[in-house]
Amino acid sequence: MVSEQLLSAIEGAKVLMVGAGGIGCELLKTLALSGFQDIHIIDIDTIEISNLNRQFLFRQSHVGQSKAKASTFTCIFLVARDAVLRFRPNISITPYHANIKESRFNVDFFKEFDVVLNGLDNLDARRHVNRLCLAAHVPLVESGTTGFLGQVTVHLKGETECYECHPKPAPKTYPVCTITSTPSKFVHCIVWAKELLFEKLFGNKNQENDLNVSSSDASNSSEHSEDVFECRIDEEIEQYGRRIYDHVFGLNIEVALSNKETWKNRNKPRPIYSKDVLSEKLTKQNGNTEKVSATDDVSAMSSLALKNPQVVWSLAENSRVFLESLRLFFLKRGKEIGNLTFDKDDQLAVEFVTAAANIRASSFGIPLHSLFEAKGIAGNIVHAVASTNAIIAGLIVIEAIKVLKRDNNNYRMTYCLEHPSRKLLLMPVEPYEPNQSCYVCSETSLSLEVNTHRSKLRDVVEKIVNARLGMNFPLLMLGATILYEVGEDLEEDMVAVYAANLEKALSELPSPVISGTVLTVEDLQQELKCCINIKHREEFDEKEHDGMLLSRWVEPPADKDGNKPIGNGESPSSVLPTEEILEGEKDVEIQETSEPTEMLQGRKENRPMFRKESVPIMLKKKGRSETDDVDLSDCTLMALTMSWQISAKVGVNCDIFLVGTVLSVFQSFGHNFGYGC
């Protein structure tokens, strides 16, 4: 049983949850069922239909509402009706439908809480919360999931590394020339269809891209003197669709083939024209306008009687979907054309992008994909697994309880794996010490190589201070001179002065920023301050496209064997795949990684692994014999990995085990090894 002292700490704790999505829904339920009575939730998102398959607190009636408010309503009146209010009648849940970066959520606001629990889906917001927790001296439990993978980490100022102690990998990007000219992967075709073709047809028609090419022998004809993407007067929509089809999949490919150097060591694509794939009787073959009423969900698949989104369409079927979806956009959603952007929850948009990407893939000899697969790539979706969210939510609560107990010796960073490693699906790792070269929590200076004669202050502010350092309200100083400041209470004349400074080269500022000077950069909201040592550099190579190079001023110290530090120099990201794990159902940049189990097997054997044979050793380290009761923290991690075994032994419902009664079940785990609790 839980001690009265711990129960009192749980009931009296004031908890801040940031994010009410896939992890947040599970976390809110787990907190409520675990005895927490004062929970505050911040979330800026509204509920979309695609959320309903895994964010169980939401229903169809909640679509369009605030997640923070809807989850509160549902938790109290649906789940709590049968569970929480029966045992916890005084629970208080305070929602904020807002951006965590708003000025009201400052350091003083964070100081009100005993622990902060993150269920966010983007790096920028995570960094912001990390800094506020450091400034407020409030423990942070960070988390994330991607499919079957997940992680929970604990961050306490001065005791463990902070969230930013190690750099996070940059999102995967692709060269424009690859996308437009030489695609070799299906994702290249998706990016082309989504970012170029969809935008050109239905979004900003004035954007310039390589879709507007014309052949050399037709460049002077009247056909190519106008914008090919403009629908001509008295041109039927079916004819317009075929003309677009022939231009982007036929003419564009022929023009690309004219550059013979490009294809010396590559497989040549083949031009595809509509007449080669479809008959001329387009209207009869390609859908019926009367079938789609104004009140129906507009869908090319429905119009063409294509029912299974997991079936890979043939080239002819993709061509029909392409032309039909384009036709439906103009006939049923004409008022939106010119202002549309791709949305993964827009069925017609997904159908169009899938068909366009598959036709282009067929031209370049790339395997075709189903609509289900294409939607995942186009929306940057790593499909969420509800069970992973539930497990991670349980682990968050476990670490939160340890924080309330001040059980510093038993904090764990835990990684949820897709495949067992050392027979474990949950890999516990002792928290790392703060990285002494971290500019966020260790106040280490940074170094910036920049051409001080060419680069403007605006470049430094936008590309370094905002983008790289993640500051929202920056203040830049050189000595006692303020070069730039952002704030709501600035006088107009000062705003004008700072705006003028932005357009000046660094060496031309009132207080010149030249090689050897030190810029002081501060964010008053985050209470973060760091120094940047300036070093002038004349030229930069092509990879350093920003014309600036930011680095750590002090390198992490090596151990006596010359290796990287184990305690604070190695990122937990080396334990898992190289991408930062985010909440699964959110937009996640596509990364190419190796299996986590392979990297885990390469780790040094200096982390505690909870096996049956390790329990006596673990107890002996704590000064107890094998006959003593097993401590709650001893059993926590292994209990989850063997939940199905334990539920069978003690007769506990597995769902309740995972998300509700974690404390009592963890005690039951001790009996699995023959120890009394």
Side-chain angles (χ1 to χ4, degrees), residues 361-484:
S362 178
S363 177
F364 282 85
I366 299 170
L368 309 189
H369 286 59
S370 69
L371 181 136
F372 179 80
E373 295 168 322
K375 180 179 179 179
I377 299 171
N380 294 331
I381 299 171
V382 179
H383 296 287
V385 178
S387 299
T388 308
N389 289 339
I391 293 171
I392 292 301
L395 289 168
I396 293 171
V397 175
I398 293 167
E399 297 304 324
I401 291 173
K402 292 179 185 178
V403 168
L404 296 177
K405 289 173 60 181
R406 291 178 172 78
D407 191 6
N408 299 28
N409 294 329
N410 288 303
Y411 294 146
R412 292 291 181 271
M413 301 188 301
T414 308
Y415 299 97
C416 183
L417 310 179
E418 183 174 359
H419 304 288
S421 177
R422 300 188 179 97
K423 299 182 180 180
L424 294 176
L425 287 174
L426 290 178
M427 184 63 68
V429 181
E430 287 185 1
Y432 298 91
E433 297 175 358
N435 185 350
Q436 297 306 313
S437 64
C438 176
Y439 73 94
V440 177
C441 66
S442 299
E443 300 182 358
T444 297
S445 297
L446 300 173
S447 174
L448 178 63
E449 295 181 37
V450 60
N451 189 316
T452 57
H453 303 309
R454 288 202 302 261
S455 295
K456 297 179 180 179
L457 182 62
R458 178 183 296 279
D459 298 325
V460 175
V461 171
E462 293 180 352
K463 298 176 181 179
I464 301 298
V465 178
N466 292 341
R468 295 288 301 279
L469 302 184
M471 294 188 178
N472 303 313
F473 298 93
L475 170 69
L476 277 71
M477 298 181 64
L478 184 62
T481 303
I482 299 178
L483 301 176
Y484 179 74

Side-chain angles (χ1 to χ4, degrees), residues 120-123 126 144-146 580-584 587-589:
L120 288 164
D121 60 3
N122 68 86
L123 301 181
R126 291 173 180 221
T145 64
T146 299
E580 176 65 23
I581 292 183
L582 303 177
E583 187 176 311
D587 293 351
V588 181
E589 294 292 347

Side-chain angles (χ1 to χ4, degrees), residues 594-611:
S594 56
E595 286 294 320
T597 51
E598 295 175 3
M599 278 178 278
L600 279 165
Q601 290 168 357
R603 291 282 294 170
K604 294 185 178 181
E605 297 274 353
N606 65 338
R607 300 300 179 200
M609 299 302 157
F610 290 85
R611 305 186 184 92

Side-chain angles (χ1 to χ4, degrees), residues 349-360:
V350 172
E351 290 170 348
F352 177 86
V353 167
T354 299
N358 273 329
I359 299 169
R360 185 167 173 83

